[in-house]
C-alpha cells in the first residue's frame, strides 16, 4: 500500500437533504450541539464527544450491532479526545449478548515489555528513582498497547462488521478535522510544555510557535486517518508485527525530541544529562501481546445482579465489595449525611483491600471469592461505626483467616518477607529512594536492614503499620536487638498511631518510645497534629544483646519497662510519664506502628525484633508498681545530647524531603481514561473504557501515524515488597481502576455505566449505583449529583468537588466532619471523574446519559426510528421536565403542551402541512422561552432535538 501525501488539502463531503423542493444543500460541518441525555427507542450511544456518538449512531443505522458501534465510537474518540484514550493504550470491555444471555469481559490492558523490572527507573548516579516528570514523559514507562487486539477480537467473535466499515466514520473525522472546544484547550494547555518536547506531538496539537490552539480552531490528523486505513486494510497484524509496530518501537527507543528541548519548563527536577528516558522495547514484545477473555465479576445487590470487570481491573471486585457492605444498611430511609457516611466507610475498606490484593492474575493469587464472600463482608463491616469515621488510613482485611488478635513471631524461611496480613503497610523508603530498608525474616525473627543516609537526604528510613483494630488503652510487648551501637540510628515504636506523615518515620498522631543506639536511651515521644515533641529521656544500656520491652498507654499515662532477655522482668516500671492535657491526643484510638531511621552518612544498621504482641489493657492486665522517684531513670532534660540529631534537625530534614516529594508530585500529570456505552435494538450492550493513563500519555505521538502512546507504568516503582501484586516486573498488566459496569434485574438490563478518573472511578461508579438503585434517582440525576470520594489515601482525607459543591452537600460535609471525616477540596475545574452510561426503562425505551458539564460535557444519542417519534412522546418529555422543576413557570409548560396537543390531532389526521406548521411554531416558542431563561439549556437542546426529528419525519 502506498502511503499518500496526508498533508494535502482535505476534500469536503456534501450531504443532500431530499424531501422538499426547497430543501437546501448542507456542507460538512460540526455535528449539532451535543445534549447530555435523551430518551428514545432503538439503539443508544453515550460518549464524551459528539463526533464519537455520531460515529456510533452511523454504524447502528447501517445495521451494525452494539459491538460494531462501540468500536466506531472508540476510534472516533481516539481522534477528538486523543489525550484520554486511543490505540496507543489499553482498555476493559464488558459485553452483554441478549440472545445468548451471555456476559463477556475483555481485558486489553497494556503489558510491560520483557525489559521492564524493579530497576527500570533507577537513577545510576543518585541511587534513587528518576523524578516523576521524567518517568511520565519518557519511553521507559511504555507498555505494549492492547486496544487494537481488543477491537479485532470483539469484531471477529461478537460483531457483524469489518474493520474497514467500523473505522470509516473516524477516518472521515480525522481527515476533515474537528473544532477545538474549551476542554480540549484546557487539557492541551496543561500539557503544553511536555508536548513541546516532541516534534511529532507539536506538529499536530500545538500551533507553529508551540502554543495551545484556541477554542474554535480546526484540527486535522491525516496521519491518524492513514493509520486507521492501514488497520482497515491489513487488520491488527500491521499494528503488532508490521510497519506500525516498527514505528512504535523506534518512537519508544529513540524518542522524537526537538533540537533544543526545554526540560526546565516541564520540571525543575528534570535531569538534562539524561534527556528523555529511552525505552527498551522489541518487536517480539509486540508480537507476543494477547488480550484475555474472562467471565465478569458478578455480585448481587438488593435483587439486582451487578457485573463488572475482573482483574487486572480492580473495578468489579472493589465495587462489588462496596455494595456488599452497603447492602447491610437501609440507605433509602437514611439522611443524606448517614448515606454519605456509610458510603465513604465502605469505599475506604474496599479500596484498602484493592491496594493489597488485586493485580495481574498471571502473577498473583487473588482471593476473589473470599473478598466477595458473606463472611468476609461481615468481618469488614465490624470496622464501620454508625456515628464515627474510621481512624486514618485503614488496613486491609485478612481473606485468609488463620488466627485472631495481633501476635507475630516471624516464623518462616530465611529471606521471606514479613506477612502482609500482620504488617499491612511496609514502606521501604520514600518514592524517590525506595531501597532505604528491607523487612525480612532470619532464623524466625524479624530483620530490618536500614541503609546509610545519602547526601541531600534528611535520613534513611523505613516503616510498617500493624493490621489490627484501633485501640485506646493498649500495651505493646516485643523483643529487640541492634547489630551496632554508638551510631545515630533509632528504632521507633508507636501506639495509638493513625497515619504516617509523608516523607517521615513519624505518624500524624501517636505515642512512641524510641530506642536510640547512639545515646543509650529510651525516649518517650508524643506527636499530635503532626507536631513531634519529647516527653522524657530514660537512661538505658542499648547493647547488641536481646532486650525485652513493654510499652503501655493507660489512663493518660505512658509506661515503659525494659530488661535483658534471660533476666526476670523487674516488678516495677522503668518509667511512668503522666500525660498533660496538652499532650493527650484528641482522638486516642489508634494502632501499633513501627519505624527505623538512620541519620548516619556511613554506617548501616540492622535491627532484629521478635514476639510482637499488642493487647488492650483490661482489668486482667498485669500491673507493675510505679518506680520510686529516686529510681525513675528519667533525665532532667528532654533535650538530646549535643552529638545526636535533635528534633529541630530532624524536622528540617523532613521538611526538605517533603518539599522534594511535593515538587515531584506537582510534576505529575492527571491520570484519566475515557468511557463509552452503546446498546442496540436487539438488546446487546457494550460498556467500554480505554486509557493511555496520563492525560496525553507519555506525550509522544508516533511520527507519521498520528496517535499518542501510553505511560502505563510510570508509577510502578519498587516501594512495595517484591511479592506485592503490583511490584514492577516484565510481562505484567498493571492493576487498573477501569470499571465498566452492567446492572441486570430479572435477566433484563437496568443500566450500564462507566467513568474516567484513575481510582476515583471506583467511588464515582459506586455513588451512581446507590443513587439510582437505593435513592431512586434517574441515571442523569445520579450522574449530575455532586461527588465525594474516600479512597483510603495515605493522608486518609476524602475529597469533595469544589467546582460542583452545592449547599446541601456542603451541609452534609459539615455534619460528616463532626463525625470524624476529614476532607480536602478537589479543585480541578473538571471535577471528580466524568460518567457515561445508558438507563433501560420499563417501557422499552432507553436513556443514554453523560455529564452536563464535567470534562466539557458529553453527547447522548438514540436511534429512535422516525416512524415512532410522535408529539405525545415529546409531550410526555415536557411533563417529565416539568415534574423535575426544569421550567420556571407553569405557563411555559401549558403553552408547549397546547402546541403538542394540536400536533397530535393533525398527526392522527395525517395532515403533514399542519403538523409541520405547528412544530415550527413549537420551535419558535422554545426559542422564546429559552431567551427568557424560562427553561434550562439542557431542556432546550433536548426538546429542539426531538422537534427536529418530528419535522424531518413529516417533511
Amino acid at each position: 500500500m502506498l502511503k499518500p501525501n496526508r498533508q494535502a488539502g482535505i476534500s469536503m463531503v456534501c450531504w443532500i437533504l431530499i424531501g422538499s423542493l426547497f430543501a437546501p444543500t448542507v456542507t460538512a460541518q460540526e455535528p449539532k450541539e451535543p445534549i447530555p441525555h435523551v430518551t428514545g427507542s432503538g439503539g443508544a450511544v453515550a460518549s464524551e464527544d459528539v463526533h464519537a456518538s455520531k460515529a456510533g449512531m452511523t454504524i447502528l443505522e447501517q445495521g451494525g450491532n452494539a459491538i460494531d458501534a462501540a468500536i466506531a465510537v472508540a476510534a472516533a474518540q481516539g481522534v477528538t479526545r486523543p489525550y484520554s484514550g486511543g490505540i496507543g493504550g489499553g482498555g476493559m470491555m464488558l459485553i452483554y449478548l441478549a440472545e445468548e444471555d451471555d456476559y463477556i469481559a475483555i481485558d486489553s490492558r497494556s503489558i510491560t515489555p520483557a525489559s521492564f523490572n524493579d530497576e527500570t527507573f533507577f537513577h545510576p548516579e543518585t541511587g534513587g528513582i528518576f523524578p516523576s516528570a521524567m518517568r511520565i514523559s519518557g519511553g521507559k514507562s511504555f507498555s505494549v498497547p492492547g486496544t487494537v487486539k481488543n477491537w479485532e477480537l470483539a469484531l471477529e467473535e461478537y460483531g457483524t462488521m469489518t474493520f474497514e466499515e467500523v473505522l470509516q466514520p473516524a477516518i472521515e473525522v480525522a481527515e476533515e478535522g474537528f473544532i477545538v472546544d474549551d476542554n480540549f484547550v484546557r487539557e492541551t494547555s496543561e500539557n503544553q510544555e511536555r508536548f513541546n518536547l516532541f516534534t511529532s506531538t507539536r506538529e499536530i496539537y500545538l500551533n507553529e510557535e508551540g502554543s495551545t490552539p484556541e477554542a474554535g480552531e480546526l484540527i486535522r490528523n491525516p496521519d491518524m486517518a492513514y493509520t486507521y486505513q492501514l488497520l482497515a486494510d491489513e487488520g491488527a497484524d500491521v499494528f503488532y508485527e508490521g510497519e506500525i509496530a516498527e514505528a512504535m518501537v523506534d518512537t519508544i527507543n529513540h524518542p522524537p525530541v526537538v533540537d533544543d528541548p526545554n526540560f526546565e519548563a516541564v520540571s525543575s527536577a528534570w535531569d538534562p544529562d539524561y534527556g528523555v528516558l529511552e525505552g527498551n522495547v522489541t518487536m517480539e514484545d509486540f508480537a507476543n501481546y494477547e488480550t484475555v477473555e474472562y467471565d465478569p465479576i458478578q455480585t448481587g445487590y438488593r435483587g439486582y445482579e451487578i457485573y463488572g470487570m475482573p482483574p487486572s481491573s480492580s473495578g468489579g471486585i472493589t465495587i462489588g465489595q462496596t455494595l456488599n457492605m452497603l447492602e447491610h444498611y437501609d440507605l433509602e430511609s437514611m439522611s443524606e449525611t448517614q448515606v454519605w457516611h456509610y458510603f465513604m466507610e465502605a469505599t475506604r475498606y474496599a479500596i484498602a483491600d484493592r491496594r493489597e490484593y488485586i493485580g495481574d492474575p498471571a502473577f498473583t493469587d487473588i482471593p476473589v471469592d473470599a473478598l466477595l464472600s458473606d463472611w468476609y463482608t461481615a468481618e469488614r463491616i465490624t470496622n464501620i461505626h454508625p456515628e464515627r469515621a474510621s481512624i486514618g488510613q485503614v488496613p486491609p482485611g485478612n481473606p485468609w483467616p488463620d488466627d485472631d488478635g495481633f501476635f507475630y513471631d516471624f516464623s518462616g524461611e530465611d529471606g521471606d518477607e514479613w506477612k502482609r496480613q500482620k504488617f499491612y503497610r511496609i514502606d521501604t523508603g520514600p518514592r524517590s529512594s525506595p531501597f532505604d530498608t528491607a523487612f525480612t525474616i532470619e532464623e524466625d525473627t524479624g530483620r530490618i536492614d536500614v541503609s546509610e543516609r545519602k547526601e541531600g537526604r534528611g535520613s534513611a528510613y523505613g516503616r510498617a503499620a500493624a493490621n489490627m483494630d484501633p485501640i485506646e488503652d493498649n500495651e505493646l510487648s516485643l523483643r529487640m536487638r541492634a547489630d551496632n551501637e554508638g551510631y545515630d540510628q533509632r528504632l521507633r515504636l508507636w501506639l495509638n498511631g493513625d497515619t504516617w506523615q509523608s516523607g517521615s518515620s513519624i505518624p500524624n498522631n501517636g505515642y512512641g518510645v524510641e530506642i536510640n543506639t547512639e545515646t543509650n536511651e529510651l525516649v518517650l515521644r508524643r506527636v499530635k497534629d503532626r507536631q513531634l515533641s519529647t516527653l522524657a529521656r530514660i537512661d538505658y544500656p542499648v547493647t547488641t544483646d536481646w532486650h525485652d520491652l513493654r510499652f503501655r498507654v493507660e489512663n493518660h499515662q505512658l509506661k515503659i519497662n525494659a530488661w535483658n532477655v534471660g533476666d526476670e522482668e523487674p516488678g516495677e516500671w522503668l518509667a511512668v510519664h503522666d500525660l498533660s492535657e496538652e499532650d493527650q491526643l484528641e482522638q486516642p484510638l489508634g494502632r501499633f506502628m513501627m519505624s527505623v531511621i538512620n541519620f548516619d552518612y556511613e554506617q548501616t544498621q540492622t535491627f532484629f525484633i521478635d514476639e510482637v504482641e499488642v493487647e488492650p489493657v483490661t482489668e486482667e492486665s498485669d500491673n507493675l508498681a510505679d518506680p520510686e522517684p529516686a529510681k525513675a531513670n528519667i533525665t532532667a532534660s528532654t533535650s538530646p545530647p549535643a552529638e545526636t540529631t535533635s528534633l529541630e534537625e530532624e524536622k528540617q530534614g523532613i521538611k526538605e524531603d517533603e518539599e522534594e516529594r511535593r515538587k515531584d508530585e506537582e510534576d505529575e500529570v492527571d491520570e484519566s481514561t475515557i468511557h463509552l456505552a452503546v446498546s442496540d435494538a436487539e438488546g446487546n450492550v457494550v460498556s467500554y473504557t480505554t486509557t493511555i493513563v496520563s492525560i496525553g500519555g507519555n506525550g509522544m505521538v508516533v511520527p507519521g501515524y498520528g496517535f499518542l502512546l501510553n505511560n502505563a507504568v510510570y508509577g510502578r516503582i519498587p516501594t512495595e515488597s517484591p511479592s506485592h501484586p503490583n511490584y514492577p516486573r516484565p510481562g505484567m498488566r498493571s492493576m487498573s481502576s477501569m470499571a465498566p459496569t452492567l446492572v441486570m434485574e430479572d435477566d433484563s438490563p437496568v443500566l450500564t455505566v462507566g467513568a474516567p478518573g484513575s481510582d476515583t472511578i471506583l467511588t464515582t461508579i459506586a455513588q451512581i449505583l446507590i443513587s439510582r438503585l437505593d435513592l431512586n434517582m434517574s441515571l442523569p440525576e445520579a450522574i449530575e449529583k455532586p461527588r465525594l470520594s474516600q479512597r483510603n489515601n495515605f493522608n486518609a482525607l476524602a475529597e469533595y468537588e469544589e467546582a460542583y459543591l452545592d449547599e446541601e452537600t456542603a451541609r452534609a460535609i459539615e455534619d460528616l466532619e463532626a463525625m470524624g471525616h476529614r476532607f480536602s477540596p478537589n479543585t480541578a475545574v473538571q471535577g471528580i471523574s466524568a460518567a457515561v452510561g445508558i438507563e433501560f426503562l420499563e417501557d422499552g425505551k432507553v436513556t443514554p446519559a453523560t455529564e452536563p458539564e464535567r470534562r466539557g460535557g458529553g453527547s447522548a444519542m438514540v436511534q429512535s426510528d422516525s416512524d415512532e417519534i410522535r408529539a405525545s412522546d415529546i409531550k410526555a418529555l415536557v411533563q417529565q421536565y416539568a415534574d423535575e422543576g426544569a421550567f420556571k413557570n407553569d405557563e411555559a409548560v401549558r403553552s408547549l403542551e397546547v402546541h403538542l396537543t394540536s400536533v397530535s390531532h393533525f398527526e392522527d389526521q395525517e395532515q403533514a402541512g399542519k403538523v409541520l406548521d405547528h412544530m415550527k411554531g413549537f420551535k419558535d416558542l422554545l426559542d422564546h422561552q429559552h431567551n427568557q431563561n424560562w427553561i434550562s439549556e439542557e431542556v432546550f437542546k433536548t426538546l429542539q432535538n426531538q422537534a427536529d426529528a418530528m419535522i424531518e419525519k413529516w417533511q
Side-chain angles (χ1 to χ4, degrees):
M1 174 179 177
L2 294 175
K3 193 171 183 178
N5 179 4
R6 300 187 305 282
Q7 303 302 324
I10 307 298
S11 63
M12 303 296 283
V13 179
C14 294
W15 298 87
I16 307 298
L17 180 63
I18 302 174
S20 169
L21 179 64
F22 304 103
T25 298
V26 182
T27 56
Q29 57 185 329
E30 284 289 287
K32 291 180 181 178
E33 194 74 19
I35 56 174
H37 66 84
V38 64
T39 297
S41 55
V45 178
S47 81
E48 287 196 31
D49 178 74
V50 65
H51 302 82
S53 294
K54 184 181 177 185
M57 290 308 301
T58 298
I59 295 301
L60 290 176
E61 290 166 2
Q62 292 174 356
N65 68 8
I67 292 86
D68 303 318
I71 294 167
V73 175
Q77 284 188 153
V79 178
T80 59
R81 297 298 306 274
Y83 305 150
S84 296
I87 59 175
M92 299 284 173
M93 178 181 280
L94 184 63
I95 299 173
Y96 170 64
L97 301 177
E99 184 175 349
E100 296 85 348
D101 191 29
D102 197 10
Y103 305 84
I104 301 106
I106 302 176
D107 183 338
S108 58
R109 185 72 160 144
S110 303
I111 296 178
T112 55
S115 61
F116 185 75
N117 57 51
D118 58 1
E119 295 185 358
T120 293
F121 296 121
F122 189 77
H123 195 302
E125 294 182 12
T126 67
I129 298 295
F130 280 110
S132 62
M134 298 179 69
R135 303 196 310 271
I136 287 168
S137 301
K140 291 183 181 295
S141 62
F142 171 80
S143 290
V144 179
T147 291
V148 172
K149 280 273 191 177
N150 187 333
W151 293 356
E152 180 182 63
L153 172 65
L155 283 177
E156 290 180 353
E157 296 294 327
Y158 311 110
T160 66
M161 288 184 162
T162 64
F163 252 146
E164 184 174 11
E165 291 171 308
V166 301
L167 293 179
Q168 188 57 39
I171 291 172
E172 293 175 3
V173 175
E175 289 177 339
E176 296 176 17
F178 64 96
I179 300 299
V180 169
D181 63 12
D182 290 336
N183 186 72
F184 190 93
V185 170
R186 175 185 61 79
E187 291 184 343
T188 307
S189 177
E190 290 172 355
N191 292 277
Q192 178 180 323
E193 287 79 10
R194 66 193 196 99
F195 285 178
N196 261 315
L197 296 178
F198 306 108
T199 56
S200 49
T201 311
R202 179 171 174 160
E203 287 172 2
I204 295 177
Y205 296 120
L206 300 177
N207 292 326
E208 290 185 4
E209 66 276 13
S211 62
T212 299
E214 296 181 359
E217 291 188 29
L218 181 73
I219 287 185
R220 293 187 176 98
N221 192 342
D223 288 347
M224 177 69 96
Y226 171 73
T227 299
Y228 280 165
Q229 191 62 56
L230 273 178
L231 294 176
D233 295 340
E234 302 182 35
D237 285 350
V238 72
F239 190 89
Y240 291 96
E241 299 180 52
E243 67 171 84
I244 302 177
E246 292 172 351
M248 286 188 283
V249 169
D250 186 59
T251 302
I252 290 301
N253 296 346
H254 307 287
V257 183
V258 299
D259 289 338
D260 188 21
N262 187 352
F263 298 125
E264 179 74 18
V266 181
S267 169
S268 60
W270 198 298
D271 188 341
D273 291 340
Y274 284 84
V276 173
L277 298 177
E278 297 178 350
N280 183 14
V281 65
T282 67
M283 289 293 289
E284 186 177 5
D285 290 320
F286 281 88
N288 289 339
Y289 185 90
E290 293 293 340
T291 55
V292 184
E293 276 189 85
Y294 297 104
D295 291 330
I297 296 293
Q298 181 182 356
T299 53
Y301 184 69
R302 306 194 198 281
Y304 299 98
E305 293 299 321
I306 316 295
Y307 292 86
M309 289 301 301
S312 61
S313 169
S314 61
I317 293 176
T318 304
I319 292 170
Q321 280 190 268
T322 300
L323 296 177
N324 282 349
M325 285 183 267
L326 291 175
E327 194 167 21
H328 287 259
Y329 309 103
D330 184 12
L331 302 183
E332 187 176 7
S333 65
M334 291 181 178
S335 68
E336 182 172 30
T337 298
Q338 288 176 305
V339 172
W340 280 126
H341 168 68
Y342 284 111
F343 164 71
M344 290 195 298
E345 290 295 278
T347 59
R348 188 197 304 260
Y349 283 95
I351 291 176
D353 289 337
R354 166 193 181 266
R355 291 192 176 127
E356 184 63 23
Y357 299 122
I358 301 177
D360 186 345
F363 296 94
T364 304
D365 180 17
I366 304 170
V368 177
D369 292 340
L371 291 170
L372 295 172
S373 67
D374 291 342
W375 71 262
Y376 188 72
T377 301
E379 175 66 25
R380 292 305 265 160
I381 64 174
T382 61
N383 299 293
I384 299 178
H385 192 281
E387 299 175 356
R388 185 181 66 239
S390 296
I391 306 301
Q393 185 183 46
V394 302
N398 181 5
W400 299 291
D402 52 9
D403 51 22
D404 297 317
F406 186 85
F407 175 79
Y408 193 23
D409 62 4
F410 299 94
S411 59
E413 298 294 324
D414 284 4
D416 283 356
E417 300 165 4
W418 292 9
K419 281 188 178 181
R420 300 189 70 83
Q421 293 95 326
K422 296 299 183 180
F423 288 95
Y424 77 95
R425 172 129 201 177
I426 297 178
D427 297 317
T428 57
R431 296 199 315 170
S432 61
S433 184
F435 303 110
D436 276 3
T437 53
F439 296 80
T440 57
I441 292 173
E442 182 177 300
E443 297 182 354
D444 292 332
T445 61
R447 173 176 176 142
I448 311 170
D449 293 289
V450 56
S451 68
E452 72 280 4
R453 173 184 177 183
K454 295 180 176 62
E455 291 294 335
R457 291 277 310 284
S459 65
Y461 69 86
R463 56 200 182 188
N467 191 347
M468 56 176 285
D469 293 331
I471 307 175
E472 184 169 345
D473 285 351
N474 58 132
E475 179 180 284
L476 163 70
S477 61
L478 58 73
R479 290 184 168 179
M480 62 77 55
R481 76 172 182 87
D483 250 7
N484 301 295
E485 53 184 297
Y487 299 96
D488 196 354
Q489 300 153 340
R490 309 170 191 186
L491 173 66
R492 288 171 166 170
L493 309 169
W494 303 95
L495 292 178
N496 302 73
D498 51 8
T499 56
W500 293 114
Q501 293 185 34
S502 181
S504 171
S505 63
I506 302 166
N508 288 295
N509 293 278
Y511 303 116
V513 58
E514 176 183 282
I515 297 94
N516 191 317
T517 63
E518 181 180 36
T519 61
N520 283 310
E521 290 178 302
L522 304 179
V523 184
L524 295 180
R525 304 281 203 188
R526 183 275 289 153
V527 57
K528 183 177 179 181
D529 296 331
R530 298 176 56 89
Q531 299 303 309
L532 179 66
S533 64
T534 300
L535 302 178
R537 311 187 74 88
I538 305 156
D539 291 330
Y540 183 80
V542 183
T543 65
T544 57
D545 296 327
W546 280 98
H547 300 266
D548 279 318
L549 184 143
R550 292 174 71 183
F551 177 40
R552 178 181 289 190
V553 178
E554 181 182 16
N555 294 330
H556 305 308
Q557 289 183 320
L558 303 185
K559 303 177 180 182
I560 185 73
N561 210 11
W563 64 100
N564 286 330
V565 170
D567 293 346
E568 185 177 349
E569 179 180 5
E572 61 183 33
W573 294 104
L574 181 65
V576 174
H577 177 81
D578 292 314
L579 291 166
S580 67
E581 186 173 345
E582 180 182 354
D583 285 328
Q584 294 170 22
L585 303 181
E586 292 180 7
Q587 175 49 266
L589 285 171
R591 302 178 180 87
F592 167 51
M593 306 168 77
M594 176 176 57
S595 55
V596 293
I597 190 165
N598 187 0
F599 295 105
D600 195 282
Y601 285 104
E602 297 180 356
Q603 183 65 44
T604 63
Q605 177 64 283
T606 300
F607 291 101
F608 291 90
I609 63 173
D610 198 8
E611 298 183 13
V612 180
E613 185 170 17
V614 181
E615 296 181 302
V617 175
T618 67
E619 293 180 356
E620 288 74 35
S621 300
D622 293 339
N623 285 309
L624 303 180
D626 288 351
E628 297 178 14
K631 301 178 181 179
N633 302 299
I634 297 179
T635 58
S637 174
T638 58
S639 299
E643 69 275 12
T644 196
T645 302
S646 67
L647 280 185
E648 288 68 27
E649 291 172 319
E650 180 176 356
K651 290 176 182 176
Q652 182 60 32
I654 292 173
K655 182 178 179 181
E656 292 171 359
D657 287 350
E658 175 68 0
E659 184 62 28
E660 180 182 349
R661 182 196 66 81
R662 284 180 178 172
K663 286 181 179 178
D664 194 57
E665 287 189 350
E666 287 173 0
D667 290 335
E668 291 185 1
V669 179
D670 285 345
E671 290 189 18
S672 192
T673 55
I674 193 163
H675 187 76
L676 65 90
V678 179
S679 63
D680 60 32
E682 286 68 41
N684 303 309
V685 182
V686 177
S687 192
Y688 184 30
T689 313
T690 59
T691 187
I692 55 174
V693 186
S694 292
I695 293 181
N698 68 4
M700 300 179 200
V701 166
V702 181
Y705 296 87
F707 63 94
L708 284 156
L709 295 172
N710 72 80
N711 56 0
V713 288
Y714 80 87
R716 292 299 174 215
I717 53 180
T719 54
E720 303 282 1
S721 63
S723 65
H724 192 275
N726 289 288
Y727 193 79
R729 53 177 69 94
M732 71 178 290
R733 300 172 193 264
S734 184
M735 179 184 66
S736 164
S737 298
M738 291 183 278
T741 302
L742 175 66
V743 180
M744 302 287 290
E745 184 180 32
D746 298 330
D747 299 324
S748 296
V750 175
L751 68 90
T752 184
V753 68
S758 190
D759 56 0
T760 65
I761 294 171
L762 305 169
T763 58
T764 295
I765 300 304
Q767 179 183 324
I768 289 171
L769 291 179
I770 65 170
S771 295
R772 168 63 181 81
L773 304 180
D774 288 293
L775 307 181
N776 301 313
M777 296 182 188
S778 66
L779 181 59
E781 290 172 330
I783 287 174
E784 192 169 357
K785 182 177 174 63
R787 291 179 187 137
L788 303 184
S789 181
Q790 169 54 265
R791 306 189 302 284
N792 198 44
N793 286 333
F794 188 78
N795 58 15
L797 297 176
E799 290 183 330
Y800 64 86
E801 298 175 299
E802 189 172 70
Y804 299 96
L805 185 66
D806 60 16
E807 291 183 7
E808 188 177 17
T809 308
R811 287 194 297 270
I813 288 173
E814 291 181 2
D815 295 339
L816 290 163
E817 287 178 330
M819 299 173 71
H821 292 277
R822 296 292 178 263
F823 292 89
S824 65
N826 182 311
T827 59
V829 66
Q830 66 270 28
I832 295 174
S833 193
V836 167
I838 301 173
E839 184 171 12
F840 302 89
L841 307 181
E842 292 182 359
D843 62 2
K845 293 185 178 180
V846 289
T847 300
T850 65
E851 297 284 355
E853 294 184 37
R854 294 183 183 96
R855 293 230 301 187
S859 168
M861 295 184 182
V862 289
Q863 200 169 9
S864 289
D865 288 340
S866 59
D867 290 340
E868 296 180 3
I869 299 178
R870 297 184 60 83
S872 58
D873 297 326
I874 304 177
K875 187 174 179 181
L877 191 58
V878 170
Q879 187 58 56
Q880 175 188 325
Y881 283 134
D883 293 342
E884 293 173 358
F887 292 91
K888 289 198 174 179
N889 59 64
D890 294 338
E891 182 57 36
V893 178
R894 282 194 295 271
S895 57
L896 293 176
E897 289 180 336
V898 167
H899 266 78
L900 293 169
T901 300
S902 298
V903 173
S904 291
H905 170 74
F906 294 123
E907 273 186 314
D908 294 338
Q909 300 297 317
E910 296 187 356
Q911 297 185 38
K914 291 188 176 181
V915 169
L916 289 171
D917 287 342
H918 279 75
M919 285 307 300
K920 290 173 183 176
F922 176 81
K923 287 190 66 177
D924 291 341
L925 187 57
L926 281 177
D927 287 334
H928 172 71
Q929 293 184 0
H930 181 246
N931 292 334
Q932 296 297 316
N933 292 320
W934 290 351
I935 56 176
S936 68
E937 185 75 19
E938 177 186 341
V939 171
F940 172 70
K941 290 177 182 177
T942 302
L943 294 177
Q944 281 274 20
N945 185 61
Q946 295 291 305
D948 287 339
M950 279 280 296
I951 291 171
E952 182 178 353
K953 167 189 171 180
W954 285 94
Q955 282 177 337

